[in-house]
């Protein structure tokens, strides 16, 4: 009986040590999890900021170039169609920047896995118009020829237009960056069965 009493007396402190140790381990694991989540969030935010800042350069450059054109015309008679084209280019650049800013605000959705595409039908003519409004002034300023060829049977596509334009903006922007003056950038829209294939080629 005394031996049994001694054994029970030792169990109390041992159990307390084990509980304290378990609590500390659990706290350490939770802290490690929170640290990893915070580090991942910072990395995602940095990647997103880098992507958006890169993409913003194209519409900002387009706005700058069109503003310079307006300044050159300030003391000369201007044809109405020229003003209309410049205004259209500025509006397209503003819409592009607005879309990029909205993507930046989507950060929390992407981090939580709730991000989704907003797909709708868009005509190829509208898509080409948006591309030309943003990039034609940039190409003309760099003396690079921009050409778009589209399959006549390809009239519209079902997509998230802002995401498609974002991808094309990256491809065309990189092509423009590495194309020498008097070179060419060719954008082709090809029908591939039930899909539309976008192809960007530069000299």
């Amino acid at each position: 009986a005394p031996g049994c009493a001694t054994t029970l007396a030792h169990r109390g402190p041992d159990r307390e040590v084990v509980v304290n140790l378990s609590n500390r381990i659990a706290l350490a694991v939770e802290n490690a999890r929170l640290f990893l989540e915070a580090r991942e969030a910072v990395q995602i935010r940095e990647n997103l900021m880098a992507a958006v800042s890169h993409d913003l350069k194209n519409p900002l450059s387009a706005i700058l170039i069109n503003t310079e054109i307006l300044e050159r015309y300030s003391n000369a008679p201007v044809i109405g169609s020229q003003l209309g084209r410049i205004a259209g280019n500025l509006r397209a650049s503003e819409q592009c920047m607005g879309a990029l800013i909205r993507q930046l605000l989507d950060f929390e959705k992407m981090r939580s896995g709730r991000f989704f595409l907003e797909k709708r039908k868009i005509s190829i003519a509208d898509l080409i118009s948006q591309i030309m409004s943003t990039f034609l002034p940039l190409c003309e300023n760099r003396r690079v020829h921009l050409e778009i060829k589209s399959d006549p049977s390809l009239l519209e596509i079902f997509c998230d237009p802002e995401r498609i334009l974002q991808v094309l903006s990256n491809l065309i922007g990189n092509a423009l960056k590495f194309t020498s003056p008097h070179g060419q950038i060719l954008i082709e829209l090809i029908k591939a069965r039930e899909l539309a294939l976008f192809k960007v080629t530069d000299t």
Side-chain angles (χ1 to χ4, degrees):
C4 181
T6 301
T7 302
L8 290 174
H10 286 169
R11 281 183 180 177
D14 289 347
R15 183 175 183 279
E16 185 177 347
V17 170
V18 171
V19 170
N20 287 337
L21 183 60
S22 298
N23 289 338
R24 290 186 180 184
I25 292 174
L27 182 61
V29 170
E30 178 65 11
N31 287 338
R33 183 185 67 81
L34 293 174
F35 173 76
L36 290 175
E37 284 185 358
R39 188 170 65 177
E40 181 184 7
V42 169
Q43 185 63 51
I44 292 174
R45 189 179 297 274
E46 288 179 351
N47 292 342
L48 188 61
M49 289 293 291
V52 171
S53 61
H54 175 271
D55 291 349
L56 280 174
K57 291 179 182 178
N58 292 323
L60 280 173
S61 296
I63 289 173
L64 176 61
I65 290 171
N66 282 285
T67 302
E68 290 174 348
I69 294 173
L70 286 175
E71 289 175 347
R72 288 201 299 268
Y73 284 148
S74 61
N75 296 320
V78 181
I79 301 174
S81 60
Q82 290 175 316
L83 279 178
R85 182 173 70 89
I86 294 171
N89 291 341
L90 290 172
R91 182 179 295 277
S93 298
E94 182 276 329
Q95 291 174 344
C96 180
M97 292 179 67
L100 290 170
I101 291 171
R102 286 194 296 275
Q103 291 163 23
L104 184 61
L105 297 176
D106 280 339
F107 166 74
E108 289 301 330
K109 289 183 180 179
M110 286 192 287
R111 193 167 70 91
S112 62
R114 294 183 291 109
F115 180 74
F116 60 93
L117 297 175
E118 296 181 1
K119 296 182 180 180
R120 61 181 175 86
K121 285 186 178 180
I122 181 173
S123 72
I124 296 300
D126 287 344
L127 188 62
I128 290 176
S129 176
Q130 293 183 56
I131 293 172
M132 294 299 285
S133 295
T134 300
F135 286 98
L136 187 58
L138 301 181
C139 289
E140 290 177 344
N141 187 61
R142 291 281 299 271
R143 291 178 293 168
V144 171
H145 178 66
L146 176 64
E147 183 178 358
I148 299 181
K149 294 182 178 180
S150 177
D151 187 324
S153 65
L154 198 59
L155 301 178
E156 60 183 15
I157 56 175
F158 184 70
C159 66
D160 185 328
E162 291 185 357
R163 301 299 171 185
I164 290 294
L165 287 170
Q166 182 184 11
V167 174
L168 289 175
S169 177
N170 270 279
L171 294 175
I172 300 168
N174 288 335
L176 183 59
K177 181 179 180 181
F178 295 104
T179 299
S180 302
H182 308 295
Q184 175 178 300
I185 296 174
L186 173 62
I187 306 169
E188 296 178 272
L189 281 71
I190 305 167
K191 189 172 183 179
R193 295 184 180 179
E194 299 302 315
L195 302 177
L197 174 66
F198 293 84
K199 185 177 179 181
V200 179
T201 310
D202 64 80
T203 51

